[in-house]
């Protein structure tokens, strides 16, 4: 077994690794968002990170993980970096090596093999592309823990968990006000990573939210694209984002995914934008002005495009 090579991994590394280590956000990548706040910022970021993206096939992801998800941060042994098994303070309970074909569909126990985990579960978007293969929120994880996570939302577990992985990730009843069903809680070292992946989804796919399975009580998203996330979950993710700041691992992964896929997670590049978009303390007491010169400039089966002007008497 040690002599076996998973050829597709080797090809991807040879072709991509020398270049992606140099990838950074191009000058001016976020320039149009610099002066914005609130939903205007969120909407602009959606526009910026949706341009010129590459939607790879779901089957391509394992090869790319050999570039994006190696452990150069804890044991520094270049094994697969799995947030559901990684022990940041000691030896991992088990390791997966890219040179061996450990990719499996399911497992009865931890350590038998790994597969692809959609942090935003694929059942909520019916396994449709481009979400289905978006590297920014699909990561390699142990197959057994992935199964136990199922499509439960991420949140704090209260009381005795029904399952606990060897690195301390847990499944159990939610301890979060506003949601009392089953949730999955990662270890503290990766809570910020999870939060920033979900914030990315909220921005990247905001126009598609009404078409996702938002009536499912496990779905972390709602149909309204302004807040996007369920109201009970926003304080949880903001707290995780603050308590577990952006790490070098995330910065490096963001750069590599940018090279492969063509877009970035803006909340890794600009963590301050989380509060600027999801600031529940801000209040707007000024009612909007009535639009003038309102007209329909485009229509389709499921949409209307409207155009209007600011009332010139109210313009400053």
């Amino acid at each position: 077994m040690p002599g076996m090579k998973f050829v597709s991994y080797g090809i991807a590394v040879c072709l991509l690794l020398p270049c992606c280590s140099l990838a950074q956000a191009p000058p001016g990548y976020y320039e149009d968002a610099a002066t914005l706040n609130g939903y205007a910022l969120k909407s602009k970021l959606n526009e910026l990170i949706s341009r010129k993206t590459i939607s790879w096939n779901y089957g391509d992801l394992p090869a790319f993980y050999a570039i994006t998800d190696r452990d150069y941060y804890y044991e520094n042994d270049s094994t697969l970096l799995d947030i559901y098994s990684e022990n940041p303070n000691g030896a991992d309970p088990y390791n997966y090596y890219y040179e061996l074909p450990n990719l499996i569909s399911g497992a009865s126990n931890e350590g038998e093999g790994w597969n692809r985990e959609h942090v935003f579960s694929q059942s909520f978007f019916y396994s449709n592309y481009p979400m289905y293969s978006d590297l920014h929120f699909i990561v390699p994880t142990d197959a057994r823990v992935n199964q136990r996570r199922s499509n439960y939302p991420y949140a704090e577990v209260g009381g005795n968990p029904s399952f606990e992985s060897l690195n301390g990730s847990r499944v159990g009843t939610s301890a979060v006000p506003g949601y009392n069903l089953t949730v999955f809680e990662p270890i503290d070292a990766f809570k910020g990573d999870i939060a920033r992946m979900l914030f990315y989804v909220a921005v990247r796919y905001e126009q598609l939210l009404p078409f996702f399975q938002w009536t499912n009580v496990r779905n972390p998203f709602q149909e309204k694209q302004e807040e996007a996330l369920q109201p009970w979950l926003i304080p949880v993710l903001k707290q995780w984002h603050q308590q577990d700041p952006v790490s070098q691992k995330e910065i490096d992964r963001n750069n590599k995914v940018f090279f492969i896929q063509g877009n970035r997670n803006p909340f890794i590049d600009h963590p301050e934008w989380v509060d600027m978009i999801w600031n529940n303390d801000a209040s707007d007491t000024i009612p909007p002005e009535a639009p003038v010169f309102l007209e329909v400039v485009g229509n389709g089966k499921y949409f209307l495009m409207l155009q209007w002007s600011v009332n010139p008497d109210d313009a400053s």
Side-chain angles (χ1 to χ4, degrees):
M1 287 290 287
M4 294 179 64
K5 300 291 182 182
F6 206 13
V7 176
S8 62
Y9 294 163
I11 292 173
V13 171
C14 290
L15 291 178
L16 297 176
L17 189 57
C19 298
C20 67
S21 61
L22 301 177
Q24 300 288 340
Y29 186 80
Y30 295 117
E31 183 177 4
D32 292 343
T35 61
L36 301 177
N37 203 340
Y39 179 61
L41 171 59
K42 181 172 179 288
S43 182
K44 177 57 68 173
L45 290 176
N46 164 265
E47 177 187 330
L48 298 178
I49 68 174
S50 300
R51 294 174 179 169
K52 299 180 180 179
T53 59
I54 302 172
S55 182
W56 296 96
N57 188 279
Y58 182 63
D60 295 325
L61 301 192
F64 290 135
Y65 289 147
I67 300 167
T68 60
D69 291 271
R70 287 184 180 271
D71 185 356
Y72 297 125
Y73 310 93
Y74 301 102
E75 285 74 34
N76 194 24
D77 56 6
S78 79
T79 58
L80 180 145
L81 206 167
D82 167 17
I83 63 175
Y84 292 169
S85 67
E86 177 61 47
N87 176 11
N89 301 312
D92 294 341
Y94 47 87
N95 282 300
Y96 295 121
Y97 296 87
Y98 285 103
E99 291 78 10
L100 301 177
N102 300 125
L103 183 65
I104 61 176
S105 59
S108 300
N109 300 288
E110 285 189 62
E112 293 180 1
W114 61 276
N115 55 24
R116 289 150 286 190
E117 167 71 302
H118 289 80
V119 170
F120 175 43
S121 297
Q122 59 177 296
S123 59
F124 300 135
F125 53 83
Y126 309 102
S127 302
N128 285 325
Y129 287 92
M131 294 76 65
Y132 190 46
S133 62
D134 191 329
L135 276 163
H136 277 298
F137 71 94
I138 308 173
V139 294
T141 60
D142 176 76
R144 180 57 179 165
V145 185
N146 190 343
Q147 284 177 291
R148 294 306 305 265
R149 185 256 161 154
S150 184
N151 64 350
Y152 297 129
Y154 293 93
E156 306 283 344
V157 170
N160 296 321
S162 59
F163 168 80
E164 185 165 340
S165 77
L166 294 176
N167 88 329
S169 300
R170 308 192 298 167
V171 175
T173 303
S174 169
V176 177
Y179 192 81
N180 59 6
L181 302 177
T182 302
V183 297
F184 183 93
E185 181 180 353
I187 62 173
D188 291 347
F190 302 115
K191 286 179 175 175
D193 304 54
I194 295 293
R196 286 178 283 275
M197 290 181 197
L198 290 175
F199 287 134
Y200 164 85
V201 173
V203 170
R204 172 66 178 89
Y205 300 108
E206 65 172 25
Q207 294 100 333
L208 296 179
L209 293 180
F211 304 99
F212 293 165
Q213 195 186 52
W214 55 266
T215 56
N216 189 316
V217 294
R218 295 182 181 181
N219 190 343
F221 291 91
Q222 57 174 299
E223 74 275 23
K224 298 175 182 177
Q225 66 185 45
E226 289 86 349
E227 283 193 325
L229 292 151
Q230 295 287 353
W232 66 265
L233 185 57
I234 293 174
V236 176
L237 298 183
K238 288 180 66 176
Q239 180 178 350
W240 288 5
H241 171 65
Q242 293 163 0
Q243 291 180 346
D244 175 30
V246 174
S247 65
Q248 189 62 49
K249 173 185 76 68
E250 289 179 90
I251 293 170
D252 294 343
R253 191 178 196 276
N254 195 28
N255 289 334
K256 293 171 183 177
V257 172
F258 173 61
F259 178 82
I260 295 167
Q261 188 169 286
N263 69 340
R264 304 182 67 80
N265 183 333
F267 304 106
I268 294 174
D269 293 325
H270 289 275
E272 71 278 9
W273 283 345
V274 169
D275 278 334
M276 293 172 65
I277 293 173
W278 287 279
N279 184 0
N280 295 327
D281 297 328
S283 59
D284 183 359
T285 59
I286 302 175
E289 296 290 339
V292 295
F293 308 121
L294 179 64
E295 61 178 329
V296 177
V297 294
N299 63 76
K301 187 175 181 180
Y302 300 108
F303 71 90
L304 285 175
M305 295 180 64
L306 304 178
Q307 178 176 286
W308 64 90
S309 302
V310 177
N311 189 330
D313 294 336
D314 296 322
S316 57

